[in-house]
Amino acid sequence: MRTLVTGAAGVIGFELVRRLLERGGDVLALDQGRKGGLEDLERLRERHPGSLSLVRAELGTEILREHARGPFDAVAHLAAIVGVRYVCDHPYETLSVNVRSTLDVCDHALREGCKVFLFASSSENYASGVDAGQVPVPTPEGVPLSIADIALPRWSYAASKIAGEAALFGAAPLGGFVPLVARFHNVYGPRMGPTHVIPELIERCRRRADPFPVFGPEQTRSFLYVDDAARALCILLDAALAGTAPGGVYNVGSPVETRIEDLARLVLEVCGHQGRIEAHPAPPGSVGRRVPDVSKLARLGFQPAVLLEEGVRACWEARKASSEPPRR
């Protein structure tokens, strides 16, 4: 199995590459290293000589033409600008980079050929419909996609992902490949920087913040550990290549709904910090509830294996290790 993975140094991309290599596949990994992680890919390449090709460059048509010759069994397009804080500060860049890169990779798949194209999308695509009472919770894949306020910078990310889904489904009939959309729901892991809720809370514990600010404590999310997310992607790719699963949209997440305040208390307990929780309003555009209906993915044999406490503990141990001096 030969796979092109964009965003290969990212939180999910790296774990997907690692799994594909461990299963004996060949991977062409592309990432510019904007957020780091290239050293991890280099170590993977050393462990799997001849199976991992690494392209360290900004994604674009010329780079793909030069370094990513096909055909491929699968293309997994995970490269994107993410992170609420950065998106809110850079809405045009978010939209431009995410949409252009998706079109570039779709064009490349049409030129070079692939059997399956997997696009990393987001639960943000329907999030505003939850607060508007237009979609059920848990939320299945077939609900209408919506944006609450097109002028709010936060929604540039959802707009880019909605456009990406449309681009993939438009390209698939032209290229004869199976289109897969993975709508991720709050994936987290040890390699993630402090720009998402779990690593942000862990970082506050590391700094012994007291009072301990928690934004939107009444809101809920479902959290999926990154190893489980990568395993879900492999299940989707295998099923699509085997012809046992049709193309389409799949929620990738956990069915367990967790209040943000309960998450904060869990993080405090795992990190051994006694900070007093100080409630703050949720950021503008942040939806009240988010939990997916994952029955479609479950029918392919997927169930999350890592409990939230186990995942948070793994993140905490990794964060502690990264701030310790090198062992002699």
Side-chain angles (χ1 to χ4, degrees), residues 75-156:
V75 171
H77 177 43
L78 280 68
I81 289 179
V82 298
V84 174
R85 188 181 308 162
Y86 191 92
V87 167
C88 289
D89 290 341
H90 305 86
Y92 182 74
E93 181 189 359
T94 297
L95 194 63
S96 176
V97 169
N98 290 0
V99 173
R100 292 176 197 274
S101 66
T102 301
L103 292 174
D104 285 344
V105 179
C106 282
D107 287 343
H108 192 70
L110 292 174
R111 283 193 304 269
E112 299 293 327
C114 75
K115 297 175 183 177
V116 177
F117 191 120
L118 186 147
F119 173 65
S121 193
S122 171
S123 57
E124 288 280 306
N125 291 9
Y126 66 75
S128 64
V130 174
D131 282 349
Q134 298 169 341
V135 302
V137 179
T139 308
E141 289 88 349
V143 299
L145 306 185
S146 60
I147 290 175
D149 182 358
I150 196 64
L152 192 67
R154 177 192 177 104
W155 292 108
S156 61

Side-chain angles (χ1 to χ4, degrees), residues 116-298:
V116 177
F117 191 120
L118 186 147
F119 173 65
S121 193
S122 171
S123 57
E124 288 280 306
N125 291 9
Y126 66 75
S128 64
V130 174
D131 282 349
Q134 298 169 341
V135 302
V137 179
T139 308
E141 289 88 349
V143 299
L145 306 185
S146 60
I147 290 175
D149 182 358
I150 196 64
L152 192 67
R154 177 192 177 104
W155 292 108
S156 61
Y157 177 74
S160 75
K161 290 300 182 179
I162 292 172
E165 291 189 17
L168 174 58
F169 287 119
L174 302 177
F177 48 77
V178 178
L180 291 175
V181 170
R183 282 197 192 138
F184 291 112
H185 292 68
N186 290 87
V187 175
Y188 71 100
R191 297 175 67 253
M192 181 176 280
T195 57
H196 303 265
V197 60
I198 288 179
E200 280 185 351
L201 293 173
I202 286 176
E203 184 62 20
R204 287 174 201 152
C205 284
R206 191 189 70 82
R207 293 187 285 102
R208 317 307 287 179
D210 192 12
F212 192 84
V214 176
F215 296 86
E218 75 289 349
Q219 294 189 341
T220 69
R221 296 292 184 267
S222 69
F223 297 96
L224 186 69
Y225 193 63
V226 65
D227 285 5
D228 283 334
R231 183 165 52 86
L233 295 187
C234 288
I235 289 173
L236 284 173
L237 291 173
D238 288 346
L241 287 167
T244 57
V249 180
Y250 291 82
N251 285 336
V252 177
S254 165
V256 179
E257 186 174 12
T258 302
R259 292 180 73 250
I260 297 301
E261 181 177 358
D262 293 337
L263 171 68
R265 295 190 186 282
L266 173 62
V267 172
L268 286 166
E269 180 181 350
V270 167
C271 299
H273 179 40
Q274 302 296 320
R276 176 180 58 85
I277 289 180
E278 181 180 74
H280 292 267
S286 181
V287 298
R289 295 181 70 192
R290 182 181 297 159
V291 57
D293 179 341
V294 291
S295 56
K296 188 175 177 182
L297 185 59

